[in-house]
Amino acid sequence: MPEEPSALDGLPRLRRLAEVTELAAVVHPLYVRFSGGPDQDAAATSRDHESGCLLPGLSVNPMNPEPWWDRPVEHWVARQLCQYAHLMTPERFPWLLTGTVAGRGPDCEPLLVDVVPAASVDPAVVEEAGRLYREVFDAGDDGT
């Protein structure tokens, strides 16, 4: 029996950090999510794991830098990919999307509705982002 078509079918699969950075430069707003993909997310209800509260949208990370960001866009993108890289498993992968912010989650992350998938991100990009992150940031420095 053939597999059901996926919402990611026909979308680009980004294989380099530079490709993700280029997309973030032209698509606003752009977000990243680590999950089983848009089809799985559409069939589930998002919950805050600690409280059990229903969330009004999908938890995402912004890929477009804030106006105060005075470093290369690639640094922002790498940092955002690394923030939730611990969620990546064989069943959960990074994908890029856009949509409407319906609220904020418990970590103040945007919660999206009216989601439109933009691309999938190869796990090798997260590894590349991790190398850049360690090279250009003082990871774990809290300023004290």
Side-chain angles (χ1 to χ4, degrees):
M1 188 182 317
E3 282 188 31
E4 292 289 318
S6 165
L8 291 175
D9 289 347
L11 293 176
R13 180 160 178 89
L14 306 183
R15 300 183 187 281
R16 294 182 26 249
L17 184 60
E19 294 173 325
V20 178
T21 301
E22 289 170 15
L23 190 61
V26 296
V27 175
H28 295 269
L30 184 67
Y31 303 94
V32 66
R33 177 165 170 78
F34 287 81
S35 74
D39 296 329
Q40 184 179 357
D41 287 344
T45 301
S46 295
R47 285 192 179 273
D48 171 36
H49 296 292
E50 289 183 20
S51 69
C53 293
L54 288 175
L55 299 174
L58 298 178
S59 178
V60 296
N61 241 13
M63 296 300 282
N64 310 108
E66 290 291 326
W68 53 263
W69 188 257
D70 63 0
R71 299 176 71 150
V73 173
E74 185 177 49
H75 292 182
W76 177 276
V77 169
R79 187 174 183 176
Q80 296 303 88
L81 286 171
C82 290
Q83 294 304 307
Y84 290 97
H86 64 280
L87 297 175
M88 192 166 60
T89 67
E91 297 80 31
R92 297 176 70 136
F93 57 89
W95 56 286
L96 302 173
L97 60 158
T98 190
T100 303
V101 175
R104 296 277 172 181
D107 295 324
C108 208
E109 76 278 14
L111 301 172
L112 286 193
V113 296
D114 303 326
V115 168
V116 178
S120 65
V121 178
D122 192 282
V125 174
V126 178
E127 293 172 19
E128 182 184 358
R131 288 189 297 275
L132 179 62
Y133 182 81
R134 289 186 297 277
E135 181 182 313
V136 301
F137 291 106
D138 293 324
D141 183 2
D142 64 3
T144 59

